[in-house]
Amino acid sequence: MATRAGKTGSQASSGDLLELVRSGRATTRGALQQVTGLSRATVGQRLDRLFRAGWLREGAAGRVDSPLGGRPSVRLEFDDAHAVVLAADLDTRHGRAAVLSLTGELLAEHSGQLLVEDGPDVVLGELGRWFGELLVKTGHQAHEVCGIGLAVPGPVDSETGRVVQPPIMPGWDGYDIRARLTRAFTEHTGAAAVPVLVDNDANLMAYGEQRTAHPDCSAFVLVKVSTGIGAGVVVRGEIYRGIDGGAGDIGHIRVPEGADMLCRCGSYGCLAAVASGGAVARRLAETGVPAASGSDVRDLLASGHPGAAALAREAGRSVGDVLATVVTLLNPGVLMIAGDLAGTPFLTGIRELLYQRALPRSTARLEVVTSRLGERAGLVGAGALVVEHLYAPERVEERLLAMGV
């Protein structure tokens, strides 16, 4: 049997063994021998590197199932106490930052106003300050940080970490986010540079939600409806990004009812111009209701405002019409609705059109749900992205060698 990296026998590295332990597929020395085909001595040598790095620990001994008795097997565990992760999630007018454990536990969190239109230099510099304050709050040292994850409201080239022609992030196109956030982190903590990973917010929300609440779902779609509209797709536990990060940008699919509506991307007729939180806020403002953003609409919906509820349901119908195609194409097991409009009126509108337009076969086993993690989904997903990157088998080997282990 192969590990996820596809290696068996003498090819199975320390990184492959760590992956088996972290995934729960093999958590004793005997199980690792059986899965990889390595000898007892070789397993011991490769585990020793992980123990010396502080990444693995011995837990309680398991039961003895053999009628002949014998020594119980010692359970091996990933030691999540040896490092922490920093994560941030940006919206157009608001930001969140957090310190997380390697297993995704939120240790400290801060949120506040951050305007993406102020530009990346200002926004990322402020995130660096927040990170420094959060580390002090948790009592963790800056040298314990192993990486930083950032969610942004625009399409991202995952190879470079740069946003690509983002409709609602003026001044960010092609900007070197990794370098600036690294500099901000070191300026405010005095620590050495750490890896910085950047991805689209809907992607990371989907990643966090799928791993936390729907780990057995092999095809998972999350739709975020806030200032804009975007979708994140997770297939077999991996984010699907397309060839350059543009997958899931459903807010810019043209819809007939928006033919004369100008979108922030510069085109007419986009779904986001018709059914986003910003679009609903604009329509409410036209009727004299004070609303300037999706968060204002969220507050009105929470207070039971009838006009907001009616427009949210109408927006849901427009989104549901587009999602009928998405569901037919991807055949997901879970369709999750998140963001400012993710409430009963909007969900009702989605269901009305989705089940009317999609093929019955595509929706027969589909769960349509709302977010479990709420506003923390992007943080959890960003943290998980960093951990999976740093503890992937091939990267484990690189890091162990760099540590001289």
Side-chain angles (χ1 to χ4, degrees):
M1 179 179 176
T3 66
R4 189 173 73 174
K7 296 178 182 178
T8 58
S10 60
Q11 291 182 321
S13 66
S14 294
D16 293 311
L17 300 192
L18 183 63
E19 170 67 17
L20 288 167
V21 173
R22 288 184 61 232
S23 66
R25 285 178 287 164
T27 58
T28 65
R29 287 170 172 80
L32 289 170
Q33 288 176 240
Q34 184 176 11
V35 169
T36 63
L38 296 174
S39 69
R40 180 177 179 179
T42 302
V43 166
Q45 291 168 358
R46 293 182 182 173
L47 290 178
D48 183 59
R49 300 177 71 202
L50 300 173
F51 282 116
R52 284 187 284 144
W55 298 351
L56 209 59
R57 66 187 174 205
E58 292 186 340
R63 294 190 318 170
V64 178
D65 294 324
S66 171
L68 301 177
R71 296 176 61 186
S73 299
V74 175
R75 184 179 177 84
L76 301 171
E77 300 174 347
F78 178 59
D79 190 344
D80 68 337
H82 70 270
V84 293
V85 175
L86 296 175
D89 184 8
L90 295 178
D91 208 334
T92 54
R93 304 172 64 191
H94 187 268
R96 287 181 175 272
V99 181
L100 297 95
S101 74
L102 297 181
T103 50
E105 179 187 357
L106 223 66
L107 305 177
E109 181 182 4
H110 176 79
S111 63
Q113 180 175 294
L114 273 183
L115 303 177
V116 293
E117 63 187 25
D118 287 343
D121 188 60
V122 172
V123 171
L124 299 174
E126 184 69 357
L127 282 182
R129 185 177 69 81
W130 287 6
F131 285 150
E133 292 174 352
L134 284 168
L135 287 170
V136 172
K137 183 178 180 180
T138 62
H140 283 282
Q141 302 298 311
H143 67 78
E144 296 178 72
V145 176
C146 63
I148 300 172
L150 176 64
V152 297
V156 176
D157 182 337
S158 60
E159 293 297 317
T160 65
R162 299 175 189 238
V163 290
V164 182
Q165 299 177 1
I168 57 177
M169 299 180 71
W172 290 71
D173 186 23
Y175 186 87
D176 193 348
I177 294 174
R178 290 176 178 171
R180 178 64 182 105
L181 192 52
T182 296
R183 191 167 74 251
F185 170 69
T186 59
E187 287 172 353
H188 288 280
T189 65
V194 296
V196 174
L197 276 71
V198 186
D199 210 328
N200 170 260
D201 56 356
N203 282 348
L204 292 181
M205 290 173 70
Y207 196 47
E209 294 277 10
Q210 188 270 337
R211 291 170 61 86
T212 301
H214 302 276
D216 297 326
C217 180
S218 60
F220 178 94
V221 175
L222 177 142
V223 178
K224 179 187 178 184
V225 186
S226 291
T227 302
I229 300 177
V233 180
V234 179
V235 178
R236 300 193 184 282
E238 302 288 339
I239 298 172
Y240 178 75
R241 300 181 177 89
I243 59 170
D244 62 3
D249 204 2
I250 64 170
H252 300 286
I253 292 175
R254 307 293 172 82
V255 292
E257 62 268 39
D260 60 347
M261 295 184 184
L262 179 63
C263 180
R264 294 179 68 171
C265 72
S267 297
Y268 284 88
C270 294
L271 179 65
V274 173
S276 65
V280 173
R282 184 185 67 249
R283 293 182 66 185
L284 283 168
E286 290 170 354
T287 67
V289 178
S293 66
S295 59
D296 292 334
V297 178
R298 179 190 61 206
D299 294 341
L300 289 167
L301 290 170
S303 68
H305 190 283
L311 288 174
R313 181 168 179 171
E314 186 179 331
R317 289 173 60 84
S318 295
V319 173
D321 198 6
V322 169
L323 289 180
T325 300
V326 172
V327 166
T328 301
L329 177 66
L330 297 179
N331 189 209
V334 175
L335 171 63
M336 179 174 283
I337 310 301
D340 292 330
L341 298 192
T344 300
F346 188 74
L347 209 62
T348 299
I350 283 179
R351 287 189 169 115
E352 286 175 358
L353 264 290
L354 173 61
Y355 289 105
Q356 177 184 330
R357 300 289 172 81
L359 292 170
R361 185 184 180 284
S362 300
T363 57
R365 298 170 60 190
L366 176 68
E367 292 182 63
V368 182
V369 300
T370 53
S371 171
R372 290 277 297 273
L373 296 174
E375 294 179 335
R376 293 174 171 170
L379 295 174
V380 173
L385 186 73
V386 171
V387 173
E388 293 306 314
H389 171 79
L390 291 178
Y391 295 92
E394 64 278 7
R395 204 148 288 107
V396 164
E397 289 304 307
E398 294 172 5
R399 294 175 67 201
L400 289 174
L401 289 171
M403 295 167 66
V405 174

